[in-house]
């Protein structure tokens, strides 16, 4: 029995490449026809000679339920009565050439069997959401001037049930613990490695087959909705990793779908990824663009995702990406730019911004492609933000050096200042930096145990006080010692040891300070929010800069000492007088530090320094980041009553500060 779900307008948009809701037209939909309850099936296979649906309802007999072709759209449709939720099914496709037959999972299936099984499952994804207040306010939480401290998570290895042979937690079990943990840690956003269905667990989800289905490894679609709902009720935004750049070659998936290269480009120079051994989407085909566009909108619509992190954008932008001469074909102008993929990304971003106000699209883009995070109206790609891969590489390289050598690599840590506002950047210390032999972040730090923890605290402090949004992969917040293993679990027992617990407290305080201090986040993307005080003190491996927020907010002075030698009497120029409060100090004993500091505050002196009329006489603790907050800005005299003279706190002497400190474990004779 046939049921038509595609109107003429749907067909037009589908072929044009702008249909953003194919999930309402294709796939398996529970419905009633002529008084009979059942399921309507629809699948795009324009080059097939015949298509039927088979499954647990008909003994997997490919001849029982043939579908009828909508010739205009190339879609095969049909209605099967008495097929309800939980029914397994696949499409049996007879190719036009050679009578080749293929059994395929539903490309727009909403649920699939637990891998390695490959059938699709008829499913009713109805869910009653409890996040109405969040959805109304999320545009404010996702705004450019809002704080973004992102906790990146691989759901299968965050926690496991040791008493059940190391089983991963389900979506609902995670909902009971993960949102609360993320909230206690002070993160504002969570980013989930791909939850879309994928056949190979070791791909971490980046080899996607189910572009409209959450992986069934952890539960049903409603179970994932419940997890996202729980995050929202904790006031935490949810970003999903999404992979439109390539897809796996598994036989039940999208590849060679109807006996032809349908979703992938037929020329292997354009349609096959040498690095990942996977297919590349044919972005020049309108129906493929509509498929991907609809997938993106599906997660934002049905699952209330607050954003998508778009994986491997660089591989989409360049036709010669990771290819040698002769292994790629130029575009119509003879260039290397992938014009069709660029066009798709612009349509994607414009559609998301228009249809889902407040939702984000974030690019993982590793090259210097211009204007990735600028609007399409001015020639940009239209992403809300992009990962700063150059910052990640340079910073981790710098911190890997023994502190005695850092003076000779000073420009690695300051180079970002030349381009920091060319894009809207996310500073990401992601899963990619703790796998494939790179070691954990803690193990990449040089020195003895005390110095490694001090270096890691300094790295995080430096990251949080730089302009840009923040992202940290799970385990980094407490100093995971082993490299991440997707088949394992985070080493939570490490928190029984004080250095790890202290690091976790430091990250929590960083998150809360960053989110609660306008100068630390409100102008993350604006040059007015950042000013170097001294970027050139390579001899001491010291950096100092100012962070600014709205005009009514106090300023922040950030001082970084990247050697294990405490600096006393270190003078720093500041723009105003008064009492500057020490708000953060990574060397505090509470975090596992040695306790050097400035007794919580320093009075500015009317002694010009660094081209500024006032200066502070500071103690810079070893391997540390300290942050000072200026007095509140003086009110406008024209707008208020005559000012009253402010009482100045007497300045304490640095000699007193030095006499009350205890020796740092990092302090070594002859250290540079």
């Amino acid at each position: 029995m046939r049921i038509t779900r595609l109107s003429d307008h749907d067909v037009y948009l589908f072929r044009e490449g702008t249909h953003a809701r194919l999930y309402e037209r294709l796939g398996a939909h529970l419905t009633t026809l002529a008084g009979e309850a059942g399921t309507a099936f629809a699948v795009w296979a324009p080059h097939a000679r015949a298509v039927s649906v088979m499954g647990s309802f008909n003994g997997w007999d490919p001849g029982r339920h043939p579908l009828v072709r909508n010739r205009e759209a190339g879609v095969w449709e049909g209605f099967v009565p008495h097929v309800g939720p939980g029914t397994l099914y696949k499409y049996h496709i007879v190719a036009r050439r050679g009578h080749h037959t293929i059994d395929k999972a539903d490309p727009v299936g909403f649920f699939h069997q637990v891998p390695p099984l490959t059938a699709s499952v008829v499913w009713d994804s109805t869910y009653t959401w409890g996040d109405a207040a969040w959805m109304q306010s999320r545009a404010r939480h996702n705004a450019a001037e809002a704080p973004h401290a992102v906790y990146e998570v691989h759901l299968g290895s965050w926690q496991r049930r040791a008493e059940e042979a190391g089983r991963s937690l389900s979506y609902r079990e995670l909902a009971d613990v993960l949102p609360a943990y993320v909230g206690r840690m002070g993160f504002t956003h969570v980013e989930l490695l791909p939850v879309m269905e994928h056949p190979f667990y070791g791909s971490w989800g980046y080899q996607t087959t189910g572009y409209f289905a959450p992986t069934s490894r952890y539960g049903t679609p409603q179970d994932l909705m419940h997890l996202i709902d729980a995050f929202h009720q904790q006031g935490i935004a949810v970003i999903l990793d999404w992979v439109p750049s390539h897809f796996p070659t598994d036989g039940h998936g999208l590849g060679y779908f109807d006996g032809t290269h349908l979703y992938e480009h037929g020329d292997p120079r354009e349609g096959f990824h040498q690095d990942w051994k996977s297919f590349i989407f044919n972005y020049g085909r309108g129906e493929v663009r509509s498929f991907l566009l609809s997938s993106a909108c599906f997660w934002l619509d049905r699952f209330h995702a607050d954003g998508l992190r778009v994986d491997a954008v660089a591989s989409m932008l360049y036709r010669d990406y990771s290819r040698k001469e002769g292994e790629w074909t130029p575009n119509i102008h003879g260039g290397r730019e992938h014009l069709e993929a660029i066009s798709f990304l612009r349509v994607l971003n414009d559609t998301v911004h228009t249809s889902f106000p407040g939702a984000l699209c974030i690019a993982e883009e590793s090259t210097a492609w211009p204007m990735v995070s600028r609007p399409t109206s001015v020639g940009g790609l239209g992403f809300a933000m992009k990962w700063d891969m150059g910052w990640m590489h340079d910073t981790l390289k710098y911190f890997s050096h023994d502190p005695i050598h850092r003076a000779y690599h000073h420009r690695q840590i300051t180079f970002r200042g030349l381009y920091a506002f060319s894009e809207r950047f996310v500073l990401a210390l992601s899963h990619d930096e703790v796998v494939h032999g790179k070691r954990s972040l803690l193990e990449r730090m040089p020195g003895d145990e005390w110095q490694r923890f001090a270096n890691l605290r300094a790295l995080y402090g430096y990251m949080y006080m730089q302009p840009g949004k923040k992202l940290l992969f799970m385990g980094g917040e407490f100093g995971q010692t082993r490299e991440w293993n997707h088949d394992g679990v985070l080493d939570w027992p490490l928190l029984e040891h004080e250095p790890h617990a202290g690091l976790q407290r430091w990250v929590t305080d960083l998150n809360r300070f960053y989110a609660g201090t306008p100068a630390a986040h409100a102008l993350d993307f604006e040059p007015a929010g950042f000013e170097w005080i001294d970027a050139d003190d390579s001899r001491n491996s010291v950096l100092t800069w100012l962070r600014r927020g709205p005009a009514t907010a106090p300023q922040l002075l950030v001082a970084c000492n990247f050697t294990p030698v405490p600096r006393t009497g270190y003078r720093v120029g500041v723009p105003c007088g008064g009492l500057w409060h020490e708000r953060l100090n990574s060397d505090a004993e509470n975090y596992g530090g040695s306790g050097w500091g400035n007794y919580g505050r320093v009075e500015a002196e009317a002694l010009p320094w660094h081209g500024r009329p006032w200066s502070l006489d500071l103690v810079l603790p070893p391997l540390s980041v300290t942050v000072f907050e200026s007095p509140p800005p003086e009110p406008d005299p024209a707008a208020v009553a005559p000012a009253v003279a402010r009482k100045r706190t007497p300045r304490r002497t640095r000699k007193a500060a030095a006499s009350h400190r205890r020796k740092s474990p990092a302090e070594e004779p002859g250290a540079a």
Side-chain angles (χ1 to χ4, degrees):
M1 188 182 299
R2 181 178 178 183
I3 179 170
T4 300
R5 300 187 64 86
L6 284 160
S7 67
D8 290 343
H9 187 58
D10 286 322
V11 173
Y12 174 79
L13 296 178
F14 182 34
R15 299 180 68 177
E16 183 188 49
T18 58
H19 203 306
R21 292 182 176 264
L22 285 179
Y23 51 90
E24 296 176 351
R25 300 291 181 260
L26 303 183
H29 293 266
L30 295 163
T31 190
T32 300
L33 186 65
E36 284 191 293
T39 299
F41 295 92
V43 61
W44 180 53
H47 304 112
R49 192 165 64 88
V51 178
S52 60
V53 61
M54 61 181 191
S56 56
F57 57 92
N58 63 8
W60 297 96
D61 183 351
R64 291 273 301 277
H65 291 96
L67 301 180
V68 178
R69 185 181 181 191
N70 178 326
R71 293 188 177 277
E72 187 71 18
V75 172
W76 298 77
E77 303 171 306
F79 174 79
V80 182
H82 313 302
V83 170
T87 303
L88 304 180
Y89 72 100
K90 280 189 178 183
Y91 294 114
H92 181 77
I93 298 173
V94 180
R96 186 170 297 172
R97 300 174 184 173
H99 300 283
H100 175 62
T101 62
I102 320 163
D103 295 335
K104 292 286 190 178
D106 192 342
V108 191
F110 303 132
F111 196 30
H112 300 287
Q113 283 183 295
V114 179
L117 301 176
T118 58
S120 301
V121 183
V122 176
W123 202 254
D124 178 4
S125 297
T126 303
Y127 178 80
T128 302
W129 289 87
D131 64 349
W134 167 266
M135 296 299 286
Q136 291 174 2
S137 65
R138 87 166 167 195
R140 175 169 54 85
H141 292 278
N142 277 350
E145 62 272 15
H148 292 229
V150 186
Y151 187 58
E152 188 187 33
V153 179
H154 177 257
L155 292 180
S157 57
W158 184 73
Q159 281 188 5
R160 290 178 180 263
R161 294 292 188 206
E163 67 276 13
E164 299 179 42
R167 172 182 66 79
S168 297
L169 300 188
S170 69
Y171 293 125
R172 287 189 178 267
E173 289 171 329
L174 285 161
D176 291 336
V177 290
L178 182 55
Y181 175 78
V182 174
R184 286 196 307 272
M185 288 295 302
F187 288 100
T188 62
H189 294 62
V190 67
E191 181 173 313
L192 306 182
L193 268 64
V195 296
M196 299 78 190
E197 193 59 87
H198 50 285
F200 178 46
Y201 178 72
S203 77
W204 314 331
Y206 290 101
Q207 294 281 6
T208 301
T209 50
Y211 277 82
F212 297 83
T215 179
S216 55
R217 290 174 175 87
Y218 315 124
T220 68
Q222 284 91 342
D223 293 338
L224 176 59
M225 293 172 184
H226 175 73
L227 174 59
I228 294 173
D229 205 352
F231 275 117
H232 286 171
Q233 293 182 42
Q234 286 277 346
I236 297 165
V238 179
I239 300 167
L240 301 180
D241 255 355
W242 182 65
V243 189
S245 51
H246 63 108
F247 61 92
T249 59
D250 295 70
H252 69 285
L254 300 178
Y256 210 61
F257 188 79
D258 63 356
T260 69
H261 295 290
L262 188 63
Y263 288 91
E264 71 275 15
H265 201 287
D267 187 337
R269 295 174 297 175
E270 297 186 55
F272 188 76
H273 235 303
Q274 300 288 348
D275 291 349
W276 303 323
K277 308 303 179 189
S278 55
F279 288 128
I280 302 171
F281 285 103
N282 183 355
Y283 304 106
R285 185 162 199 162
E287 296 93 336
V288 173
R289 291 155 62 103
S290 289
F291 173 84
L292 289 172
L293 187 63
S294 296
S295 172
C297 292
F298 174 78
W299 298 101
L300 299 171
D301 176 20
R302 297 293 175 85
F303 283 81
H304 287 202
D306 303 296
L308 301 173
R309 179 265 197 184
V310 183
D311 181 63
V313 169
S315 73
M316 300 173 66
L317 295 175
Y318 300 94
R319 301 174 76 91
D320 63 344
Y321 181 86
S322 196
R323 295 179 185 271
K324 299 175 184 177
E325 188 174 351
E327 295 180 347
W328 60 282
T329 59
N331 62 35
I332 58 173
H333 304 298
R336 59 198 285 252
E337 300 81 9
H338 201 313
L339 303 180
E340 296 83 1
I342 294 166
S343 173
F344 163 71
L345 290 172
R346 286 173 171 156
V347 171
L348 165 70
N349 285 311
D350 283 346
T351 301
V352 168
H353 295 159
T354 301
S355 301
F356 303 96
L360 303 170
C361 278
I362 302 167
E364 187 220 12
E365 201 284 312
S366 56
T367 74
W369 186 279
M371 299 199 297
V372 171
S373 57
R374 296 293 182 251
T376 60
S377 59
V378 297
L381 294 183
F383 285 97
M385 288 174 269
K386 95 165 212 172
W387 281 17
D388 191 344
M389 309 296 281
W391 170 86
M392 174 275 299
H393 176 81
D394 291 344
T395 300
L396 291 180
K397 184 71 172 176
Y398 176 85
F399 272 88
S400 72
H401 296 301
D402 188 291
I404 199 170
H405 300 304
R406 286 176 178 168
Y408 307 105
H409 301 277
H410 195 71
R411 290 191 179 182
Q412 279 184 329
I413 201 73
T414 61
F415 178 72
R416 181 176 189 260
L418 297 177
Y419 68 86
F421 303 102
S422 61
E423 299 278 2
R424 294 183 165 195
F425 283 119
V426 177
L427 307 184
L429 295 174
S430 75
H431 64 280
D432 280 328
E433 310 320 314
V434 292
V435 291
H436 302 321
K438 295 177 184 176
R439 299 174 295 164
S440 69
L441 291 180
L442 181 64
E443 289 300 301
R444 294 172 74 167
M445 299 296 106
D448 59 24
E449 182 185 64
W450 189 93
Q451 290 181 341
R452 287 200 301 273
F453 276 98
N455 271 301
L456 191 55
R457 292 193 303 270
L459 167 59
Y460 292 163
Y462 164 76
M463 175 176 79
Y464 271 77
M465 291 301 106
Q466 278 282 300
K469 307 309 180 186
K470 329 298 177 189
L471 180 142
L472 184 63
F473 183 56
M474 65 181 197
E477 76 275 18
F478 62 80
Q480 173 87 3
T481 53
R482 294 183 299 173
E483 187 177 82
W484 173 56
N485 177 6
H486 59 269
D487 286 322
V489 65
L490 296 185
D491 291 326
W492 294 103
L494 289 174
L495 285 168
E496 298 172 9
H497 304 283
E498 188 54 33
H500 295 275
L503 178 63
Q504 188 186 53
R505 288 192 290 270
W506 171 239
V507 172
T508 301
D509 286 351
L510 276 175
N511 279 329
R512 290 173 177 168
F513 179 78
Y514 168 72
T517 308
H521 65 255
L523 298 181
D524 267 336
F525 302 141
E526 302 296 332
F530 176 87
E531 181 184 339
W532 284 115
I533 293 176
D534 189 353
D536 297 321
D537 189 2
S538 59
R539 179 175 177 274
N540 291 310
S541 295
V542 170
L543 293 174
T544 51
W545 66 84
L546 295 171
R547 290 300 310 273
R548 295 190 176 95
T552 57
Q555 302 178 57
L556 300 178
L557 162 66
V558 183
C560 305
N561 177 14
F562 293 136
T563 73
V565 179
R567 310 286 180 191
T568 61
Y570 194 91
R571 188 163 293 278
V572 177
V574 290
C576 66
L579 202 61
W580 288 68
H581 286 86
E582 186 179 81
R583 295 290 307 278
L584 289 173
N585 182 343
S586 68
D587 192 51
E589 293 178 341
N590 186 47
Y591 307 131
S594 60
W596 283 78
N598 296 270
Y599 293 113
R601 58 187 184 178
V602 181
E603 181 80 22
E605 301 176 60
L607 177 61
W609 210 265
H610 290 132
R612 291 165 179 82
W614 300 82
S615 60
L616 304 177
D617 182 12
L618 299 179
V619 168
L620 303 186
L623 293 172
S624 72
V625 172
T626 48
V627 180
F628 302 85
E629 187 174 72
S630 74
E634 295 287 350
D636 183 353
V640 298
V644 177
R646 183 173 55 184
K647 181 179 180 181
R648 297 179 65 89
T649 302
R651 175 181 175 272
R652 59 181 174 77
T653 66
R654 190 58 52 219
K655 181 182 292 185
S659 67
H660 284 84
R661 59 92 173 171
R662 67 179 179 87
K663 190 174 182 180
S664 163
E667 192 173 351
E668 297 176 352

